[in-house]
């Protein structure tokens, strides 16, 4: 590991002052420390932001604000989230382990890097790790890779569970840029597709700080589900995940949200399937049809064709489970 300086910021202004392009922030450290140990991240300095940012979950009439330093465990135990935003809790509980959730921060979860095995193997080409070196997964072992939204630059998937729920609930990321000015980015625009800049995972401005996540008040707290399919039942990243949330009047679906993990470079919303569901009477047939609409345009790679029926099943099950709650 390369030697680096370590400074602890007292507040956000100090954190921004200390942050230059050769230094990284460290929050829970559950991802960045692994990247340091594997020589993937090689900063000259680390800026500890654990006491610089909010650890509060603040509900209001219109939304809830989740501080950047709220630990993942707190997302699963907070009474306001459990009552009004339980999809978040459900998704977080499907991820990592209790020990990791105790350390992991909300903002850090959004910014964790992909789990593509070639990204972690510094002996192999990887455009995300080393610009222009190539993509080993494209024609290599792409069992865990994307089935939608990828290109020949990168076929990696976004690894977070929390982000799938935040995507379904139309959250907004709030932060401060390098000049200490406030900005906000709708969640759907926060993470990006590979495009010609596969080394960038998101549209966070350079050296910016996430301060909190805002989730608008919604009617999805009664009917929701998170289905995560993985190689082990715990402590594993999703092969496929599906978050669903329904707003219903009797048997009629007034509004629907559907998002998936393990399918693309970013949390993926199935907008066409959502539109199809609106106004329909809930039934196994329409959930099946919605899952078919969602999967119509996905294009598996050589080794991940299994993901297509798996995704169909996960979406169908998530909708069925949500409608029954
Ligand atoms: C074995 C293992 C299994 C896991 N399984 C899952 C899983 O199943 N599902 C899942 O969703 N996650 C899983 N995780 C990932 C884990 O949830 C993330 O590592 C964690 O959420 C990252 O948060 P952190 O606070 O530790 O981030 P850190 O490692 O401290 O930081 C991550 C990145 O975010 C940046 N950063 C942090 N906070 C800010 C901020 N406020 N503003 C700007 N930049 C910031 C840091 O500079 C760094 O680049 C797993 C991790 C491990 C190690
Ligand atoms: S899929 Fe992306 S992360 Fe994986 S090897 Fe290709 S460029 Fe690297």
């Amino acid at each position: 590991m390369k030697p680096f300086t370590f400074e602890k910021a007292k507040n956000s202004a100090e954190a921004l002052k200390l942050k230059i392009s050769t230094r990284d922030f460290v929050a829970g450290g559950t991802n960045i420390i692994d990247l340091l140990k594997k020589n993937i991240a090689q900063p000259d300095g680390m800026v500890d932001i654990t006491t610089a940012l909010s650890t509060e979950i603040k509900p209001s009439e219109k939304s809830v604000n989740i501080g950047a330093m709220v630990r993942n465990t707190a997302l699963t135990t907070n009474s306001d989230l459990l009552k009004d935003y339980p999809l978040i809790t459900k998704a977080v509980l499907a991820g990592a382990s209790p020990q990791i959730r105790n350390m992991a921060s909300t903002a850090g979860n959004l910014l964790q890097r992909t789990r593509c095995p070639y990204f972690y193997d510094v002996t192999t080409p990887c455009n995300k790790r080393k610009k222009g070196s190539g993509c080993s997964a494209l024609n290599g072992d792409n069992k865990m890779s994307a089935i939608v939204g990828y290109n020949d630059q990168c076929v990696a998937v976004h690894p977070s569970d929390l982000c799938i729920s935040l995507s379904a609930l139309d959250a907004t990321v709030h932060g401060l840029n390098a000049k200490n000015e406030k900005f906000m980015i709708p969640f759907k625009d926060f993470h990006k597709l590979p495009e010609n800049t596969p080394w960038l995972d998101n549209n966070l401005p350079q050296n910016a700080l996430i301060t909190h996540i805002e989730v608008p008040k919604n009617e999805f707290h009664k009917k929701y589900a998170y289905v995560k399919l993985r190689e082990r039942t715990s402590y594993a990243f999703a092969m496929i995940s599906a978050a669903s949330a329904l707003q219903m009047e009797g048997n009629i679906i007034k509004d629907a949200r559907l998002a998936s993990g393990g399918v693309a470079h970013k949390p993926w919303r199935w907008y066409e399937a959502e539109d199809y569901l609106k106004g329909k009477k809930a039934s196994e047939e329409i959930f099946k049809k919605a899952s078919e609409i969602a999967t119509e345009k996905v294009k598996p790679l050589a080794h991940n064709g299994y993901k297509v029926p798996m995704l169909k099943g996960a979406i169908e099950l998530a909708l069925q489970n949500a409608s029954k709650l």
Side-chain angles (χ1 to χ4, degrees):
M1 199 193 288
K2 186 178 151 186
F4 55 82
T5 60
F6 186 85
E7 288 164 284
K8 197 170 174 77
K10 285 195 216 70
N11 51 45
S12 54
E14 197 175 276
L16 287 168
K17 222 176 188 175
L18 291 168
K19 177 79 175 74
I20 50 172
S21 56
T22 53
R23 292 182 193 150
D24 266 329
F25 290 132
V26 56
T30 62
N31 190 215
I32 189 73
I33 303 297
D34 278 354
L35 299 175
L36 291 178
K37 286 193 285 193
K38 290 178 188 289
N39 279 323
I40 296 165
Q42 295 184 311
D44 293 335
M46 298 297 291
V47 180
D48 179 342
I49 51 174
T50 46
T51 51
L53 295 171
S54 168
T55 55
E56 280 186 299
I57 296 174
K58 285 194 214 153
S60 70
E61 281 198 2
K62 286 189 180 161
S63 60
V64 63
N65 283 346
I66 302 171
M69 265 315 301
V70 171
R71 307 281 182 175
N72 284 188
T73 297
L75 296 175
T76 68
T77 53
N78 178 271
S79 56
D80 294 305
L81 292 186
L82 283 165
K83 182 162 80 61
D84 293 328
Y85 306 89
L87 180 59
I88 294 177
T89 295
K90 195 95 177 162
V92 173
L93 277 175
S97 66
Q99 292 89 341
I100 290 168
R101 293 195 296 266
N102 283 343
M103 290 305 292
S105 68
T106 300
N109 192 298
L110 269 57
L111 298 172
Q112 61 175 293
R113 309 297 315 266
T114 183
R115 293 284 154 170
C116 173
Y118 298 106
F119 176 72
Y120 287 86
D121 179 353
V122 291
T123 64
T124 60
C126 169
N127 286 327
K128 189 173 276 302
R129 180 170 27 77
K130 192 171 178 206
K131 287 180 194 177
S133 59
C135 172
S136 298
L138 184 64
N139 298 308
D141 178 359
N142 46 40
K143 188 178 99 170
M144 294 298 282
S145 307
I147 52 173
V148 67
Y150 60 85
N151 63 15
D152 62 0
Q153 299 277 301
C154 179
V155 295
V157 293
H158 175 78
S160 162
D161 292 295
L162 166 65
C163 290
I164 308 310
S165 65
L166 295 177
S167 164
L169 297 176
D170 277 341
T172 302
V173 179
H174 290 256
L176 295 165
N177 69 16
K179 293 181 185 160
N180 208 3
E181 296 160 339
K182 287 183 185 173
F183 67 83
M184 50 197 259
I185 307 177
F187 211 77
K188 67 178 173 47
D189 303 325
F190 184 73
H191 296 99
K192 62 179 272 300
L193 294 180
E195 298 150 7
N196 288 324
T197 50
W199 52 92
L200 296 177
D201 301 333
N202 55 61
N203 293 311
L204 189 69
Q206 216 196 353
N207 297 327
L209 197 55
I210 294 178
T211 53
H212 61 282
I213 313 299
E214 184 181 9
V215 187
K217 193 93 186 210
N218 60 64
E219 293 299 323
F220 295 118
H221 54 287
K222 288 189 193 137
K223 303 214 168 275
Y224 61 91
Y226 188 73
V227 171
K228 177 172 175 178
L229 304 174
R230 47 190 152 167
E231 284 182 325
R232 290 188 302 264
T233 48
S234 78
Y235 206 41
F237 291 89
M239 294 163 112
I240 289 288
S241 69
S244 75
L246 300 172
Q247 187 191 336
M248 294 181 57
E249 261 178 36
N251 240 354
I252 304 297
I253 299 167
K254 290 285 170 197
D255 200 359
R257 300 283 172 81
L258 258 186
S260 281
V263 297
H265 201 252
K266 59 184 284 184
W268 197 260
R269 275 282 288 275
W270 304 106
Y271 291 111
E272 287 171 18
E274 289 178 8
D275 286 344
Y276 166 79
L277 288 166
K278 285 176 205 166
K280 300 262 180 351
K281 196 170 158 186
S283 71
E284 293 206 354
E285 288 69 38
I286 70 132
F287 294 153
K288 187 166 189 291
K289 178 74 185 158
S291 75
E292 281 162 7
I293 292 171
T295 50
E296 239 162 36
K297 291 179 194 153
V298 301
K299 282 203 184 101
L301 295 155
H303 304 293
N304 66 4
Y306 74 94
K307 281 195 176 188
V308 182
M310 193 181 246
L311 172 63
K312 255 189 209 161
I315 290 178
E316 227 179 301
L317 184 62
L319 288 167
Q320 282 174 11
N321 288 353
S323 69
K324 280 178 204 146
L325 280 175

